[in-house]
Amino acid sequence: MNIFADFLPEFMHFNAIDGANLILLLSIILLLGAMGGRLFQKLKIPQVVGYIVIGIIIGQSGLQLLRKEVITALDPVSQVALSLIGFLIGGELKIGVLKKYGKQFIGILLFEAIIPFIVVSIIVTLVSYLFTKDLNVSIALGIILGSISSATAPAATTDVLRENRTRGPLTTTVLGIVAMDDAVALILYAFSSSIASALLGNTNSSLGAQLLHLCYDVFGSILLGSVIGFLLSRFIKNVMTDEGRILAFSLGSIFLSTGICTLIDMDNILAAMSIGFFMVNFAPVKTRPTFSLVEKFTPPIYVLFFVLVGAKLNIWNVTIFVGVIALIYIACRTIGKTIGARMGSRITKAPETVRKYLPWCLLSQAGVAIGLSIAAGQTYSDTIGSTIILIITATTFVVQLLGPVCVKYAVNHAGECNLDICEEDIMKTCKVSEVTSGGISICDEASPAIVTDTTSLHEILDSFSHNHNLNYVVKNGEGKLSGIITLDHLKECLQMMDFSEGLMAMDILEPCPVTCNPDMLIPDVLKQFDENDTEALPITDENGMLLGVIEKPAVDHYLHAKVMELHKKIASLG
């Protein structure tokens, strides 16, 4: 039932996808999703929440602009998005980092995956039995939901980390955990499914057969991804120099792995993650820009993916029983993840920020959880299948909205926001006034970088020998710019004329037609340096009064110092 559907004209619904409809549909999803993400970002809420809310509004729970069959037809978008996420996560799993944090990863992973399985299985079984009075059905429902609760969605979590440019031990741990706990969930589901099948009389396959399929799924995906990663690295190393071609080959390789996994029933996330892992650890250094190029391609795919996640949810099909179990599932999963993450962190002696804030980063669930619920729905279609799908769908809606907010809270309080930046990132918002403070070039009357028209050559030479400035700006009696004296120009003047005590700044200055102001951004200043073939610019205010000089070495020093500060802060967090 949808209370909005009757109020919309028929032409607003997309019942089938042809060429024109597909283009129009994708444009609507991208534009509305981008606007929703931007709105929520302005409200200090992660943009991924905005994407999902837009999906809910135009999808099954809202206006139904996207019909169920259309959403199903766009499933390849979700597969591609998850593969891109897997590839970028694989790129974060550097062997050096794994050696440093490997013990922590494994310890935390086992606890944060197995504890929620135990808690959810026990509590859901007890509550379900109170409703159904059927012990077998209750145990089957409990252990299936318990196994699904182990999975954590990497998409929403990594989107928040990327949006906030995070870096540090918490970020590293989160990326490692969300990349690997889906494999634990698959193993738990295989065992739980075999037990549930025996309890419900649905024993179409043995435990051995399910474990064999699990090995095929996990190890086959890893092998496929590694092979494709090896071939991609060879291509890029031997024949690729153009960024456009590198991006085309990288995306083609990721899409190839996704298509093959879909065709032969393997895990596309693990395969793509293996490609990224191989590329970052075993491919030549020349191939490393692949990750930054692929990352630039991902934003519109993420918008499509999360809007479709929201569009799939139908919040009108929830009964009292489903509602109660869903609430219990969320509560027990959250408690289990919290206990498991903190216990694992304490046992493995993880940094304090990891112990304190990791549980906040493990709430989201989506792709693997929904996939396992659909598998359970097909396997147990006559018993608990539809109930599992409804519960996971409803809880996915809640945790996908709350999860990103909690991740942002965690990384913000852990002090890891805006640490994954380089000199280019700092430059984008850095102003002249920031560089010319802190002892690099002081813009005031006492600055040695400012001399008057009548300052003698002897004083200027003495200043060169005692101060770090290589360029001096000259002001007239009104305090305005007369010109500039550079070290190179001074040398030329001394070679061309006899040294005289009577020489003053006005005799050796050269004109400087280009200036900057304290609010000018550093990229604009660097552009002026290049265009005017100079390494110094006078700084003036809006009235033309001379304030000082900014030098290119000072800019380079400032940016390098800022990056070093961030590195020291990251090191202190670990």
Side-chain angles (χ1 to χ4, degrees), residues 39-84:
L39 174 62
F40 275 70
Q41 206 173 34
K42 283 184 172 291
L43 297 174
K44 307 300 181 183
I45 300 173
Q47 59 190 2
V48 64
V49 179
Y51 304 152
I52 296 172
V53 170
I54 291 296
I56 292 170
I57 293 173
I58 67 176
Q60 297 298 290
S61 300
L63 303 175
Q64 289 193 357
L65 294 180
L66 304 180
R67 300 280 193 186
K68 185 176 181 180
E69 56 271 22
V70 174
I71 297 172
T72 302
L74 290 174
D75 271 348
V77 173
S78 298
Q79 293 178 336
V80 167
L82 291 171
S83 294
L84 291 171

Side-chain angles (χ1 to χ4, degrees), residues 67-106:
R67 300 280 193 186
K68 185 176 181 180
E69 56 271 22
V70 174
I71 297 172
T72 302
L74 290 174
D75 271 348
V77 173
S78 298
Q79 293 178 336
V80 167
L82 291 171
S83 294
L84 291 171
I85 291 165
F87 175 76
L88 293 174
I89 289 177
E92 297 291 336
L93 299 179
K94 301 177 179 68
I95 288 178
V97 176
L98 291 176
K99 286 181 179 178
K100 181 178 180 181
Y101 295 104
K103 180 182 176 182
Q104 290 178 18
F105 281 169
I106 295 172

Side-chain angles (χ1 to χ4, degrees), residues 458-571:
H458 177 77
E459 291 177 280
I460 295 172
L461 291 174
D462 185 63
S463 183
F464 266 115
S465 64
H466 289 89
N467 296 295
H468 65 270
N469 298 88
L470 299 178
N471 304 273
Y472 288 79
V473 283
V474 184
K475 65 178 180 179
N476 58 26
E478 299 176 354
K480 296 185 177 182
L481 176 68
S482 291
I484 188 169
I485 300 172
T486 65
L487 183 59
D488 290 337
H489 182 65
L490 181 60
K491 290 177 181 177
E492 292 176 3
C493 291
L494 292 176
Q495 291 173 357
M496 294 172 59
M497 63 179 70
D498 295 330
F499 180 80
S500 172
E501 289 291 340
L503 286 178
M504 294 182 291
M506 67 176 69
D507 300 315
I508 56 175
L509 63 79
E510 56 181 328
C512 189
V514 182
T515 64
C516 64
N517 61 72
D519 293 325
M520 182 177 285
L521 294 175
I522 293 304
D524 297 328
V525 174
L526 294 177
K527 184 178 179 181
Q528 294 281 18
F529 285 154
D530 292 336
E531 290 179 351
N532 295 278
D533 192 26
T534 183
E535 290 199 348
L537 285 177
I539 307 170
T540 59
D541 62 16
E542 63 274 10
N543 298 317
M545 302 300 291
L546 185 61
L547 301 176
V549 63
I550 184 168
E551 299 175 316
K552 192 173 186 300
V555 174
D556 294 337
H557 176 74
Y558 175 84
L559 295 175
H560 181 70
K562 282 293 183 181
V563 172
M564 292 302 297
E565 284 179 20
L566 292 175
H567 288 172
K568 289 179 181 178
K569 186 174 181 180
I570 293 167

Side-chain angles (χ1 to χ4, degrees), residues 11-260:
F11 69 85
M12 286 295 291
H13 297 292
F14 294 89
N15 296 305
I17 297 185
D18 55 29
N21 269 355
L22 177 61
I23 295 171
L24 181 59
L25 182 61
L26 293 177
S27 68
I28 290 173
I29 294 175
L30 281 172
L31 290 173
L32 292 179
M35 286 189 288
R38 180 59 178 162
L39 174 62
F40 275 70
Q41 206 173 34
K42 283 184 172 291
L43 297 174
K44 307 300 181 183
I45 300 173
Q47 59 190 2
V48 64
V49 179
Y51 304 152
I52 296 172
V53 170
I54 291 296
I56 292 170
I57 293 173
I58 67 176
Q60 297 298 290
S61 300
L63 303 175
Q64 289 193 357
L65 294 180
L66 304 180
R67 300 280 193 186
K68 185 176 181 180
E69 56 271 22
V70 174
I71 297 172
T72 302
L74 290 174
D75 271 348
V77 173
S78 298
Q79 293 178 336
V80 167
L82 291 171
S83 294
L84 291 171
I85 291 165
F87 175 76
L88 293 174
I89 289 177
E92 297 291 336
L93 299 179
K94 301 177 179 68
I95 288 178
V97 176
L98 291 176
K99 286 181 179 178
K100 181 178 180 181
Y101 295 104
K103 180 182 176 182
Q104 290 178 18
F105 281 169
I106 295 172
I108 296 171
L109 174 67
L110 293 176
F111 279 98
E112 68 85 28
I114 293 174
I115 299 261
F117 166 71
I118 296 171
V119 174
V120 171
S121 297
I122 294 173
I123 302 302
V124 168
T125 297
L126 293 175
V127 175
S128 176
Y129 182 73
L130 294 177
F131 277 88
T132 64
K133 305 301 180 183
D134 188 326
L135 185 59
N136 286 353
V137 169
S138 299
I139 293 175
L141 180 65
I143 59 176
I144 292 294
L145 288 177
S147 64
I148 295 174
S149 72
S150 300
T152 305
T157 304
T158 55
D159 187 81
V160 175
L161 298 180
R162 190 173 296 108
E163 179 185 356
N164 290 278
R165 308 298 296 273
T166 63
R167 189 176 176 186
L170 177 62
T171 299
T172 302
T173 304
V174 169
L175 289 172
I177 294 299
V178 300
M180 295 186 289
D181 71 352
D182 287 346
V184 180
L186 289 170
I187 295 171
L188 291 174
Y189 179 81
F191 281 101
S192 301
S193 181
S194 63
I195 296 171
S197 295
L199 291 171
L200 299 174
N202 183 10
T203 54
N204 295 326
S205 59
S206 65
L207 175 60
Q210 292 189 42
L211 290 177
L212 188 62
H213 183 270
L214 177 65
C215 292
Y216 164 78
D217 191 13
V218 174
F219 295 109
S221 302
I222 293 173
L223 178 61
L224 174 66
S226 299
V227 170
I228 293 178
F230 171 77
L231 294 175
L232 174 61
S233 67
R234 295 300 97 185
F235 269 116
I236 295 176
K237 176 185 177 182
N238 295 325
V239 300
M240 295 294 151
T241 55
D242 178 72
E243 287 189 349
R245 291 182 180 178
I246 292 175
L247 178 60
F249 264 83
S250 302
L251 292 176
S253 300
I254 296 169
F255 295 168
L256 176 64
S257 75
T258 305
I260 293 175

